[in-house]
Amino acid sequence: MKDILSHYTLGELLAFEPVTTGTVQTNYFLQTTQGRFVFRYYQNRSLESVLFEIELIRYLTRCNYPCPAVLQDRNGEHAGIYNEKPYTIFEFATGQHLEHPNEAQKRQLVQQVAELNTITRDYKPLHTPYRLNYNVETCWELAQEATQRINTAQAREKLAWLEHTLAGLHLPPSLPRGVCHCDFHFSNLLFTDGKFSALIDFDDANYTFLLLDLAALINPFQASFDWNTWPHFQEEENVFDFNETRAILQEYARHRPLSMDEKWHLFDVYKLSILFDCIWYFERWEGEDFYERRKIAYLDRLGRDQFYAQIFAD
């Protein structure tokens, strides 16, 4: 840490401690003679992927979006290499993580997501090709990799189902794209005195459909229907509850109105988000069935028209 800090003008190291929230990259709080900072060590990202994140954060801070700035060293570089892995140092953002935000705080989050999507619309960082960008092609490639890794009959059956489901998505070129955050876990949100103060951890951010961030906020399924309860439901049951989804969409539209194309194809983007969940949990199944397959089946039974009517019709 002392050697790394010697390349910066952030003062001398007084103390450092690991950040306990977050599970992918390694983060430390740094205390120096000039203040407090956050050191991030990327365990599984290339330098080019990190540079995408740096480009994005610098763009957002120039637009006055509430997120911690990434700091540069004495040579003007925003990323360094230690033991062949990249690292960055960020401003320390004050605030608290709220595991159970109230309704007003949830609305603040929706507003910030809408404003983020407005700022990043059509924004494509130079290092976008080095990021895991959420689209149909990436989903299919990741599914093939997972199937080869697991190498079981169940995995191959899951791959065939996923291929068929991806082929049924309708995602026209007219849908706006930009950079989405894609991870609104409470550990990535900071509140100060009950008010939203910062969005952190852009490790999963990528260039994709702007609707994907909105899809991450909504859950049209009943709270009782989840990854560990779905086998208890019959296939013909009604598992939907659109009340919260309608409220989120109304709040989002106050800050970024959706086009007709976006409203109509939210059905497809939401299904794409489910398919990416299927990738992250590719080894999860029960017999020939699994959670994401059941969710897609319920959505297909409901249909695009009824999905649209439930969340957008007056």
Side-chain angles (χ1 to χ4, degrees):
M1 287 295 186
K2 288 182 178 179
D3 180 57
I4 288 171
L5 278 173
S6 70
H7 299 285
Y8 290 78
T9 57
L10 301 177
E12 297 181 8
L13 180 67
L14 297 177
F16 64 95
E17 59 179 338
V19 179
T20 56
T21 56
T23 57
V24 180
Q25 312 306 342
T26 300
N27 301 291
Y28 281 88
F29 291 127
L30 304 182
Q31 184 68 48
T32 77
T33 52
Q34 290 191 16
R36 202 172 189 195
F37 307 95
V38 175
F39 172 83
R40 164 164 280 201
Y41 190 56
Y42 295 86
Q43 299 288 354
N44 56 3
R45 295 285 186 266
S46 68
L47 175 61
E48 291 80 9
S49 177
V50 173
L51 290 175
F52 171 98
E53 184 175 340
I54 290 170
E55 290 177 75
L56 169 63
I57 291 172
R58 295 187 68 198
Y59 175 73
L60 292 177
T61 52
R62 289 196 300 270
C63 294
N64 297 314
Y65 188 79
C67 63
V70 60
L71 304 176
Q72 63 183 17
D73 63 17
R74 296 177 187 273
N75 296 320
E77 301 294 336
H78 292 82
I81 299 292
Y82 178 77
N83 279 354
E84 300 182 351
K85 293 182 180 181
Y87 67 82
T88 53
I89 297 180
F90 290 90
E91 286 181 336
F92 177 77
T94 59
Q96 296 79 41
H97 302 292
L98 302 181
E99 191 165 355
H100 302 289
N102 59 36
E103 292 304 313
Q105 290 159 345
K106 290 178 182 178
R107 288 195 298 272
Q108 291 176 47
L109 169 60
V110 174
Q111 175 184 347
Q112 292 299 328
V113 173
E115 293 181 357
L116 173 69
N117 296 158
T118 299
I119 292 172
T120 65
R121 178 170 181 162
D122 298 326
Y123 173 65
K124 193 172 185 179
L126 178 65
H127 290 86
T128 293
Y130 300 96
R131 204 67 167 184
L132 196 66
N133 300 300
Y134 292 178
N135 51 45
V136 169
E137 295 76 20
T138 298
C139 191
W140 173 239
E141 290 170 5
L142 292 174
Q144 290 177 298
E145 291 173 7
T147 302
Q148 292 174 2
R149 183 185 72 251
I150 299 169
N151 194 27
T152 64
Q154 286 176 312
R156 289 186 286 274
E157 181 182 339
K158 198 168 192 177
L159 179 68
W161 169 84
L162 192 140
E163 180 181 22
H164 173 77
T165 307
L166 281 172
L169 298 182
H170 300 284
L171 299 165
S174 58
L175 290 178
R177 300 193 187 207
V179 177
C180 289
H181 183 276
C182 294
D183 186 8
F184 300 112
H185 189 267
F186 74 89
S187 63
N188 294 331
L189 314 174
L190 291 175
F191 290 83
T192 302
D193 297 329
K195 294 184 179 180
F196 185 96
S197 56
L199 178 63
I200 63 175
D201 194 354
F202 288 81
D203 189 46
D204 288 328
N206 66 95
Y207 182 79
T208 182
F209 303 102
L210 292 181
L211 284 177
L212 206 64
D213 266 349
L214 183 54
L217 294 177
I218 64 174
N219 180 20
F221 292 91
Q222 298 173 11
S224 57
F225 178 80
D226 208 345
W227 67 271
N228 57 349
T229 62
W230 66 267
H232 305 314
F233 290 80
Q234 300 300 314
E235 293 189 12
E236 66 276 7
E237 279 191 64
N238 175 27
V239 297
F240 293 103
D241 181 356
F242 290 97
N243 290 325
E244 185 177 19
T245 295
R246 282 192 290 265
I248 290 172
L249 286 166
Q250 289 169 8
E251 181 63 27
Y252 184 94
R254 290 181 59 233
H255 308 283
R256 190 181 86 85
L258 298 175
S259 67
M260 190 61 209
D261 263 358
E262 288 182 288
K263 291 180 180 180
W264 189 244
H265 292 286
L266 178 58
F267 181 76
D268 301 278
V269 176
Y270 183 67
K271 289 172 73 173
L272 180 62
S273 72
I274 295 173
L275 294 176
F276 268 99
D277 284 342
C278 181
I279 298 298
W280 311 141
Y281 301 100
F282 209 79
E283 296 175 333
R284 183 170 68 187
W285 52 61
E286 185 168 313
E288 296 181 352
D289 209 354
F290 46 92
Y291 179 47
E292 294 81 16
R293 185 176 195 165
R294 188 69 68 85
K295 289 177 79 174
I296 295 290
Y298 279 125
L299 286 167
D300 286 340
R301 190 174 295 111
L302 180 71
R304 181 196 308 277
D305 290 355
Q306 194 55 232
F307 184 86
Y308 173 90
Q310 286 287 347
I311 58 180
F312 290 115
D314 293 334

